[in-house]
Amino acid sequence: MLELKNITFKVDNLDGKGEITILDNVSFKIEQGKILIITGPNGGGKSTLAKIIMGIEKPTSGQILFDGKDVTNLSITERARLGIGYAFQQPPRFKGVTVKKLLNLASGNKLNDTACCEYLTNVGLCSKEYLKRDVDASLSGGELKRIEIASLMARNPKLAIYDEPEAGIDLWSFSMLVDSFQKFKENKDQTVVIISHQEKIIDLADELMIIADGKVQNKGTKEEIMPMIQGKSTSCGCPIKEVVLTNER
Ligand SMILES: Nc1ncnc2c1ncn2[C@@H]1O[C@H](COP(=O)(O)OP(=O)(O)OP(=O)(O)O)[C@@H](O)[C@H]1O
């Protein structure tokens, strides 16, 4: 359903001399209904890759196919219409838009309070009071993050990309979130990409991919990849094992 072919992303060096390669010849496929977990060291290129799939960044070279269609030159809006959705690592705030309005806009339907609360419950927010709140600076970072995730769940795109859904989320909400992702796994009607450093989320993977130094280092089942990561080092000498496993809750 999604295929990336030889994606390279370069940016100009700040001193104006030459370019930095952020992603280097990245190729992989995801099959319909699968959960792909992307992990790897900080700064490896995971979020950039997600933004390239969503159309927020344009690759320097390479091709992106979605359901067999070349979407490389399509805008974010066009990709969203085709069924690609993205929950940011650091979500934006929308002053003047209530949580209920955001969920309605995301789902494309008029949702009643009960339906809205179900989406919020998936991420550990169950109070009806939240529905009237503006998605602005009055929300805590963890609340905003969970509302962003709930709105992507309400949108229910064919391909949902979650960028570090665990970031800033408390233990109780995290546990509910993992249960919600578990339901995606059981239903198999949505293809899901999750960028995560969390072992409990990595456990959900149909496939696990390691991105480091802008390259796909490994991709396969969790059973194939996890033993390979154990004890391996990145180019800077930091054990990948620590990056993947130290956030265990
Ligand atoms: N527009 C840009 N200009 C310069 N450097 C950039 C740009 N975009 C990304 N980078 C750099 O590219 C590298 C990859 O960034 P990215 O956010 O994709 O990493 P990541 O794997 O998601 O990291 P983390 O696990 O910390 O979220 C980082 O070193 C980042 O600073």
Side-chain angles (χ1 to χ4, degrees):
M1 77 100 61
L2 180 78
E3 182 172 8
L4 271 69
K5 289 184 177 175
N6 308 105
I7 292 290
T8 292
F9 179 67
K10 295 181 181 189
V11 293
D12 290 338
N13 220 328
L14 279 182
D15 62 10
K17 292 177 194 157
E19 292 176 318
I20 311 166
T21 301
I22 310 285
L23 292 173
D24 187 5
N25 209 25
V26 169
S27 298
F28 66 92
K29 279 186 193 176
I30 315 168
E31 300 300 330
Q32 171 69 37
K34 299 282 183 197
I35 297 190
L36 171 72
I37 309 289
I38 303 177
T39 194
N42 293 133
K46 303 176 293 299
S47 293
T48 307
L49 184 61
K51 287 176 190 163
I52 280 179
I53 298 171
M54 189 66 241
I56 298 164
E57 299 279 12
K58 292 280 176 206
T60 310
S61 59
Q63 198 182 24
I64 305 166
L65 301 175
F66 181 63
D67 280 344
K69 182 181 164 77
D70 187 342
V71 298
T72 319
N73 295 314
L74 297 190
S75 67
I76 302 171
T77 313
E78 287 167 317
R79 292 185 207 200
R81 280 200 197 110
L82 288 175
I84 305 177
Y86 175 57
F88 284 86
Q89 185 175 8
Q90 284 161 343
R93 296 174 197 262
F94 301 96
K95 211 172 167 219
V97 176
T98 62
V99 172
K100 184 171 178 175
K101 174 95 177 155
L102 187 69
L103 291 172
N104 275 276
L105 286 172
S107 81
N109 290 311
K110 198 163 167 26
L111 300 172
N112 60 28
D113 285 5
T114 310
C116 288
C117 280
E118 269 176 38
Y119 287 118
L120 294 181
T121 304
N122 283 340
V123 293
L125 289 174
C126 58
S127 168
K128 278 195 177 179
E129 284 159 31
Y130 275 107
L131 296 180
K132 295 178 199 144
R133 296 274 303 271
D134 270 1
V135 187
D136 62 9
S138 69
L139 291 168
S140 76
E143 287 167 341
L144 182 67
K145 181 83 185 175
R146 288 185 282 162
I147 288 162
E148 162 94 344
I149 294 168
S151 72
L152 184 52
M153 289 179 175
R155 188 175 308 148
N156 193 25
K158 279 196 223 169
L159 170 67
I161 307 165
Y162 294 88
D163 195 346
E164 290 192 34
E166 69 267 21
I169 291 189
D170 62 67
L171 283 174
W172 298 271
S173 307
F174 178 71
S175 167
M176 297 181 90
L177 186 62
V178 171
D179 290 347
S180 302
F181 286 138
Q182 183 65 43
K183 283 183 213 148
F184 292 149
K185 194 173 169 70
E186 286 156 16
N187 294 341
K188 291 192 181 298
D189 55 359
Q190 192 178 51
T191 309
V192 182
V193 174
I194 310 176
I195 296 170
S196 180
H197 301 287
Q198 273 293 331
E199 201 174 12
K200 280 186 181 149
I201 290 183
I202 290 173
D203 274 343
L204 300 167
D206 292 309
E207 284 201 288
L208 179 58
M209 184 164 86
I210 310 294
I211 298 272
D213 296 330
K215 296 188 175 108
V216 176
Q217 304 290 343
N218 283 300
K219 181 171 177 281
T221 63
K222 188 175 57 103
E223 291 72 22
E224 286 164 347
I225 302 301
M226 285 306 275
M228 289 185 207
I229 313 173
Q230 309 284 332
K232 270 202 175 179
S233 294
T234 63
S235 54
C236 67
C238 322
I240 293 178
K241 182 179 165 186
E242 279 181 21
V243 176
V244 177
L245 301 177
T246 46
N247 292 325
E248 198 176 341
R249 291 174 194 241

